[in-house]
Structures are given as C-alpha cells and as structure tokens.
Amino acid sequence: MSGGERVNEYDASCADCGLPVPAGGGVLRHGAGGWEVFHPAHAPQPGPPPRGTHTGWHRRRLLALDIGSTGHRPGVDRIRSAALRGSDGTAHDWILDIGSDIQDPADAFPDALPAPDAAPAPAIAPAPSSLPGAVPPGPALEELATLLAAHLATGELLVVWFAPYVLGTLHAELLRHGLPPLAERLPAGVAPVCDPLVLDRHADRYRPGSRSLRAVAEWYGVPHTAPGDPASDAGASLLVAQAVAACHPPLARLSRPALHTDQIIWYAEQTSRHADAPAWPFTPVEPLPWEPAPEG
C-alpha cells in the first residue's frame, strides 16, 4: 500500500469480496454512496464509473458557452472574449475590443519595470484593441446572443460551466450595450441549461479534491489543453457534461426540462452555506460603472 493511500480506522468488510478487513489494513475508496473499504489487492483504481452505452440528453445536440472577462463581478467586469463549441462541430470565437472603456490603453504598457522589492502591482491585461481580430463589443455580443437564443429556442441544452457567473455577466453586458438580454429573447426563459459543475457535485458528492474545470476534466479523462482560454474551456465543459451523463445513467435519462429544474434544487443544496451565492442558472444583474478590482 502506498504512503498516500487512505486506510480504514475501524474494522470493516471488503466491498469487493465481503471478507473482514481489520482496522488499518484496508484501502478507502469513495463510491456513489460514500466511502467504501477494500482489501489492498481488491481496491479499484481511483476514477469515475465506466461510461455506459445508454441513451440520454448527452447524445443530443449540445452547445457550450464560455467567456473571458476582466474579473468575476458580473455587473462591473467586461467580457473580453467568448467562445461557443457544439457537439456537431460548431465553433465560434470572439475577441472584444473593450479598450478605453475600462482603462487608458497606454496604462497597459508601463515604460519602466517596478523595483525588485516593490509590492506587486495589480495585473493589467493589454487592451483588447491591441489584439488581432478584436471587434467592437456591441456587434459581437449581438451575434453571440442571437446564436444562443436560436439554440435554446430549439429546446436543446446549453452547457455552461458555473452558469451563474457566465450568464450573469452576459446579461449585464447585453444591457450595457443597449441589447436585449437572453431572457427577453426567449419567451420560456433562459432554459434548458446544463452546468457540469453542478452535475459533477451532485453525481459524485463525496469525491475529495478540487472541483475546478481543470481538475474535473482530468478526473473524467477529458482533454483540456489551455485552461482559462474560452475556446478550450467551452470544449472541455461540453465533453465533461457528456462524460458525467455517460458515467451516471440516472442523470442521462432525465428529460432536458427536468435536468434544468433539478439543477436549481441541487445547486441550492450545494450552496446552502453560502448566503451570498447567486441563484442558478443566473441572477439578472444591472450593469454598473467600471472600477478596478480591489487589491487582495
């Protein structure tokens, strides 16, 4: 048994063969119902359940959205880039020229480096207007919203990792540029949404460790080549959603409306200790004036 293995504190029975396992002599593995004890020779390798061949929403057309922004304050921060990735090969990318809307572009390129012992300065990204392919925010956001509304109007799932942040920021940005938000474009509301973070936390609630997109993608064996890049994040979110459903048939067999509704309940349970958690799939946020994020 390796030094990093977790062992049982009390006498138990092996979940594989049923024979006794003395305290300290077994290996702990988390399963769908909690922690299980195994003889070291019988312990399965850590990993998700095997993927099944069952049908479900994960085999239908999915579209995944991700954004890159100036921060994590939906009413204040601005979308700098966005990406859509579809299970049918659909791919759209935008780089938004937010330029002087939030800072003097000259401030992004200091003339002198700080002294070696100076306190670290807040990170300031180069103005998006300096990036190849940057376009005005208004037309880009309108194109993005039009594609999202058209997809949701068909009743197919929109995959969004941590939907409250992404959809809340998008809502405020559309209003900021005088554009109708998604809620006004869809008579039935912004649904159905699939949030792989909510799904994974519900399907495998006892798994220790990080639940970042990078960590969850690694757990399910999903490629995620450039964490933080909207295109890579959207693609990984899509594959993670499909993987969670493939590994957990009861989730996959939910109807799309039921999946959306159940995630509202699961998210509320998952965030019950966080009084300031936004609602799922998002809280409509009014746009606020730009201000730098507080230090620290």
Side-chain angles (χ1 to χ4, degrees), residues 200 207-213 215-216:
D200 179 59
R207 186 173 81 247
S210 170
R211 296 294 176 123
S212 68
L213 178 55
V216 175

Side-chain angles (χ1 to χ4, degrees), residues 106 109-113:
F109 302 98
D111 295 327
L113 295 175

Side-chain angles (χ1 to χ4, degrees), residues 9 32 34 53 86 113 127 162 167 176 204 214 218 230-231 238 266:
E9 295 184 29
T53 58
L113 295 175
F162 192 29
L167 296 180
R176 177 174 288 113
D204 199 358
R214 182 202 300 256
E218 182 178 358
L238 177 65
W266 300 336

Side-chain angles (χ1 to χ4, degrees), residues 64 66-67 161 213 224 226-238:
D66 197 74
I67 62 171
W161 180 270
L213 178 55
H224 190 201
D229 174 71
S232 179
D233 288 351
S237 297
L238 177 65

Side-chain angles (χ1 to χ4, degrees), residues 8-293:
N8 55 312
E9 295 184 29
Y10 306 101
D11 293 342
S13 297
C14 177
D16 179 64
C17 69
L19 295 177
V21 181
V27 175
L28 287 174
R29 289 284 185 267
H30 75 281
W35 289 99
E36 298 176 322
V37 179
F38 295 86
H39 287 113
H42 298 166
Q45 289 299 312
R51 301 191 188 195
T53 58
H54 50 277
T55 60
W57 52 260
H58 60 302
R59 297 187 181 278
R60 300 179 64 92
R61 183 175 184 269
L62 302 176
L63 185 67
L65 163 69
D66 197 74
I67 62 171
S69 70
T70 58
H72 295 88
R73 302 163 298 170
V76 176
D77 284 299
R78 312 301 166 85
I79 295 176
R80 298 193 293 193
S81 55
L84 294 179
R85 290 295 183 270
S87 57
D88 60 356
T90 296
H92 297 278
D93 298 277
W94 296 268
I95 300 174
L96 279 62
D97 179 4
I98 56 175
S100 60
D101 190 30
I102 64 166
Q103 66 180 35
D104 181 350
D107 293 340
F109 302 98
D111 295 327
L113 295 175
D117 57 349
I124 300 177
S129 56
S130 66
L131 300 176
V135 296
L141 291 168
E142 174 60 31
E143 182 181 11
L144 171 60
T146 298
L147 290 169
L148 292 174
H151 175 79
L152 287 168
T154 67
E156 299 296 348
L157 287 162
L158 175 66
V159 177
V160 191
W161 180 270
F162 192 29
Y165 154 65
V166 174
L167 296 180
T169 303
L170 177 60
H171 179 91
E173 280 283 66
L174 289 169
L175 291 177
R176 177 174 288 113
H177 292 278
L179 301 170
L182 287 179
E184 293 182 9
R185 300 170 188 247
L186 296 158
V190 184
V193 174
C194 169
D195 190 331
L197 175 58
V198 175
L199 297 190
D200 179 59
R201 283 175 169 169
H202 174 75
D204 199 358
R205 66 185 66 186
Y206 298 106
R207 186 173 81 247
S210 170
R211 296 294 176 123
S212 68
L213 178 55
R214 182 202 300 256
V216 175
E218 182 178 358
W219 175 255
Y220 286 100
V222 165
H224 190 201
T225 56
D229 174 71
S232 179
D233 288 351
S237 297
L238 177 65
L239 294 176
V240 166
Q242 292 174 320
V244 174
C247 293
H248 301 279
L251 276 180
R253 295 188 178 116
L254 289 171
S255 69
R256 285 157 287 156
L259 181 69
H260 181 97
T261 301
D262 284 352
Q263 285 173 99
I264 297 173
I265 300 170
W266 300 336
Y267 175 83
E269 294 171 347
Q270 294 164 7
T271 59
S272 60
R273 297 184 180 180
H274 303 278
D276 58 346
W280 191 94
F282 74 103
T283 299
V285 179
E286 292 295 320
L288 299 171
W290 165 257
E291 61 180 28

